[in-house]
Amino acid sequence: MLAMMLQPLQALQQIAIRCIRLCCHVVERYICVFIIVMDVVDLLKDEILNLRKKLMEKEAVLRQHQTQMYEKAEEKGLYKKLTNVEIDRYSRQIIMPEIGMKGQQALKNSSVLVVGAGGLGCPSALYLTGAGVGHIGIVDYDKVKLNNLHRQLLHPETSTGQPKVLSAFNSLKRLNSFVHITPYDMQLDSTNALDAIRDYDVVVDATDNVATRYLLNDACVLTDRPLVSGSALQLEGQLTVYNYNNGPCYRCLFPVPPPPETVTNCGDGGVLGAVPGVIGVLQALETLKILLGHQGVVTKKLLLFDASDCSFRNVRLRDRNPSCAICGNEPSITALVDYEQFCGSKANDKHNSIHLLDNVDRISTGTYHDVRSEPHILIDVRSPLEFEICHLPGSLNVPLKDLASEQLVQPLKEVITKKGSSDKDFPVFVVCRRGNDSQKGVLALRETLSGLNVSVKDIIGGLHSWAKDIDPSFPVY
Ligand SMILES: Nc1ncnc2c1ncn2[C@@H]1O[C@H](COP(=O)(O)OP(=O)(O)OP(=O)(O)O)[C@@H](O)[C@H]1O
Ligand SMILES: [Zn+2]
């Protein structure tokens, strides 16, 4: 009787087992197919990468031959005139009355040094190369980083980790093999700037730091070269040509460098890629106008570009200062100086660590990792926008500038009073992106939290160290 009652149940069980087996089989097949597709994708990616490498090797050999040919031809004075291919290639600008054969010929016989192969240097060099400037030098000491690619469009993904000048050289040569490109993988400084600049007619300042701006300015004044200067940050850009047509030099307008802490760079302030794109292209345009001897070069005035409403504004600049230290009537500077010392900042925009706190007031990311399960408060002093990109679990976001405000710190005080016990200092840790602002945060909090039993320390190296030493999956920006 019992066996009869169980029969349909067993049949159902069998059907269920079959169904499950069938499902497993289907899932297994899907996984297999997925794995096979993934394998094919990986294989194709590897193959394409190898082909690209081979292509680059072949292109390098070709360029070597072309360079030799160029040099031999130049020795014989052969390349002074435009070839028929060049006439065809540049015909759309040659037929303009402002350029003509003479203008194109002039471009072919001119040379431009682009300093910086970054956000401004890439678009600048791109249009100078396209226009057929005969010789372009490009200087940079840095390597291509992943976070350069959104705006430094001469660098393809495959260049990441490569010297920027090599990457720029390859892209420019691929674009126009008629142009002679000289890459300089080096930092321009007082020891090499004059020699580098003397070989070129015009200098484009596409760098990102104040020390190099003064260096280029002085070097251009001493060698009598126009300096096409540009800058871009966030949604704004600026452009002017210094030391041209009796106009002012950079020192005439800014005899004293700004305090280093007031200078914001792209790494901290951010920049929308198309903004340096606009300014870089305008730098190329002004350079071409100088080489062609055109009127209307942006000198003795400053062009201001505001991308938020796409407005361009020209403001008049002061005239050349007769008592300027470098271009004045009786200059006190007659040779290049130490620009890092003069500006009190490095000739790069790389992050410099500051030391405001004693070691006892700081903890490593490893120590924080070990104590994070114990009661404490972690304050992240970055901006809310940065906090949104990534943050450590349980951290409170109080931006550095708000730490000095009694009113804004009041809720924090309440949390500490609630959590802390009176017999032991309650631990408060401060974190930021790289470990500088967190130290400032500790100093500010010591003021605003005075009177409370707290021990305030910062985390050395900030979230960058956390990602490097503790959690490699943590985003870095
Ligand atoms: N003295 C110098 N000599 C050679 N190259 C320089 C010098 N100073 C700055 N540069 C280069 O100028 C370029 C400026 O580019 P950009 O302003 O786009 O900044 P970045 O350093 O590439 O990027 P980010 O600031 O976002 O890290 C950089 O590639 C930098 O290496
Ligand atoms: Zn001057």
Side-chain angles (χ1 to χ4, degrees):
M1 180 69 177
L2 188 67
M4 273 175 66
M5 279 172 67
L6 283 177
Q7 246 176 8
L9 274 180
Q10 279 167 346
L12 268 177
Q13 196 181 12
Q14 296 264 325
I15 292 168
I17 290 171
R18 264 192 221 139
C19 282
I20 290 169
R21 276 202 192 123
L22 193 68
C23 284
C24 286
H25 187 63
V26 172
V27 170
E28 223 170 75
R29 298 258 328 241
Y30 267 114
I31 291 175
C32 272
V33 171
F34 183 66
I35 290 173
I36 290 169
V37 170
M38 288 289 287
D39 281 350
V40 172
V41 168
D42 284 346
L43 271 174
L44 279 172
K45 274 187 180 167
D46 281 351
E47 219 174 299
I48 290 170
L49 209 67
N50 283 335
L51 285 171
R52 276 203 187 123
K53 267 190 198 152
K54 273 194 192 141
L55 174 70
M56 280 166 74
E57 281 164 15
K58 291 275 176 216
E59 281 179 338
V61 177
L62 173 69
R63 274 193 299 274
Q64 227 173 352
H65 288 300
Q66 281 176 335
T67 307
Q68 283 166 2
M69 270 168 54
Y70 174 89
E71 281 164 2
K72 277 196 189 130
E74 208 181 29
E75 274 168 29
K76 292 178 191 160
L78 272 179
Y79 270 32
K80 300 284 182 233
K81 287 210 155 51
L82 294 172
T83 61
N84 285 354
V85 185
E86 284 173 303
I87 291 174
D88 185 15
R89 180 178 184 121
Y90 305 116
S91 55
R92 296 301 182 270
Q93 59 191 43
I94 291 176
I95 53 172
M96 287 172 59
E98 292 85 354
I99 298 183
M101 280 295 276
K102 247 185 160 179
Q104 193 62 48
Q105 200 87 47
L107 293 183
K108 182 174 175 167
N109 286 286
S110 5
S111 54
V112 177
L113 184 67
V114 178
V115 187
L120 296 167
C122 285
S124 210
L126 197 64
Y127 275 85
L128 292 170
T129 305
V133 170
H135 183 196
I136 296 172
I138 184 148
V139 197
D140 206 306
Y141 62 87
D142 211 358
K143 295 198 163 60
V144 179
K145 300 182 298 268
L146 192 63
N147 59 23
N148 292 151
L149 303 185
H150 79 119
R151 68 185 190 282
Q152 304 184 12
L153 303 186
L154 279 183
H155 311 308
E157 277 175 13
T158 43
S159 286
T160 313
Q162 264 188 25
K164 283 188 177 177
V165 285
L166 187 69
S167 166
F169 174 83
N170 286 329
S171 296
L172 295 173
K173 266 298 184 187
R174 209 167 285 153
L175 191 79
N176 191 347
S177 59
F178 289 91
V179 173
H180 182 51
I181 313 273
T182 306
Y184 302 90
D185 187 5
M186 64 181 197
Q187 175 149 5
L188 211 65
D189 60 27
S190 320
T191 65
N192 54 24
L194 290 174
D195 282 342
I197 286 173
R198 269 194 198 103
D199 287 341
Y200 296 87
D201 302 320
V202 180
V203 178
V204 173
D205 181 358
T207 64
D208 54 359
N209 61 82
V210 182
T212 306
R213 275 192 198 289
Y214 278 98
L215 165 75
L216 288 176
N217 178 72
D218 292 1
C220 283
V221 172
L222 293 175
T223 53
D224 196 18
R225 301 289 192 273
L227 177 62
V228 184
S229 171
S231 66
L233 186 71
Q234 298 178 340
L235 290 174
E236 289 177 4
Q238 298 187 353
L239 169 88
T240 190
V241 178
Y242 292 117
N243 197 40
Y244 183 65
N245 219 0
N246 206 30
C249 83
Y250 185 60
R251 266 187 202 268
C252 291
L253 304 170
F254 306 103
V256 182
E261 64 276 11
T262 60
V263 182
T264 310
N265 57 40
C266 294
D268 290 331
V271 66
L272 187 61
V275 176
V278 169
I279 300 295
V281 171
L282 287 175
Q283 283 181 284
L285 182 62
E286 291 311 293
T287 305
L288 294 172
K289 278 157 64 183
I290 294 170
L291 297 174
L292 292 165
H294 278 210
Q295 302 295 312
V297 172
V298 184
T299 188
K300 303 172 198 169
K301 54 190 178 186
L302 177 72
L303 178 82
L304 300 168
F305 170 55
D306 183 350
S308 63
D309 58 358
C310 205
S311 62
F312 288 88
R313 221 155 42 90
N314 267 308
V315 292
R316 240 188 81 87
L317 291 178
R318 259 177 280 144
D319 286 340
R320 191 175 74 84
N321 177 5
S323 51
C324 170
I326 184 98
C327 79
N329 299 340
E330 284 171 39
S332 55
I333 302 171
T334 52
L336 298 180
V337 298
D338 182 337
Y339 294 90
E340 294 195 341
Q341 196 188 30
F342 173 63
C343 298
S345 58
K346 291 261 169 222
N348 59 50
D349 73 339
K350 301 292 167 263
H351 177 70
N352 296 317
S353 297
I354 57 169
H355 300 281
L356 297 176
L357 301 178
D358 291 336
N359 284 346
V360 289
D361 295 326
R362 313 192 72 191
I363 60 163
S364 67
T365 44
T367 310
Y368 177 69
H369 180 256
D370 295 342
V371 301
R372 66 197 291 231
S373 56
E374 293 167 21
H376 72 281
I377 286 179
L378 176 64
I379 299 172
D380 188 323
V381 293
R382 294 170 303 147
S383 69
L385 273 170
E386 290 176 87
F387 191 75
E388 203 185 320
I389 299 175
C390 58
H391 55 262
L392 290 174
S395 51
L396 298 175
N397 185 211
V398 187
L400 184 61
K401 62 176 174 35
D402 295 343
L403 287 178
S405 151
E406 280 289 339
Q407 202 190 347
L408 291 169
V409 175
Q410 190 54 35
L412 188 64
K413 281 184 171 175
E414 282 160 20
V415 179
I416 292 169
T417 319
K418 228 186 265 169
K419 286 195 173 190
S421 66
S422 51
D423 54 330
K424 199 172 151 226
D425 284 347
F426 186 75
V428 175
F429 300 116
V430 185
V431 72
C432 68
R433 187 173 167 196
R434 288 179 291 213
N436 279 356
D437 280 354
S438 55
Q439 296 182 61
K440 294 178 191 163
V442 168
L443 296 177
L445 275 176
R446 281 195 186 147
E447 298 264 315
T448 35
L449 298 183
S450 63
L452 292 179
N453 287 345
V454 286
S455 131
V456 192
K457 297 187 178 189
D458 90 311
I459 297 179
I460 300 167
L463 297 173
H464 273 210
S465 287
W466 182 264
K468 189 167 147 269
D469 301 329
I470 309 292
D471 178 6
S473 71
F474 196 81
V476 176
Y477 64 94

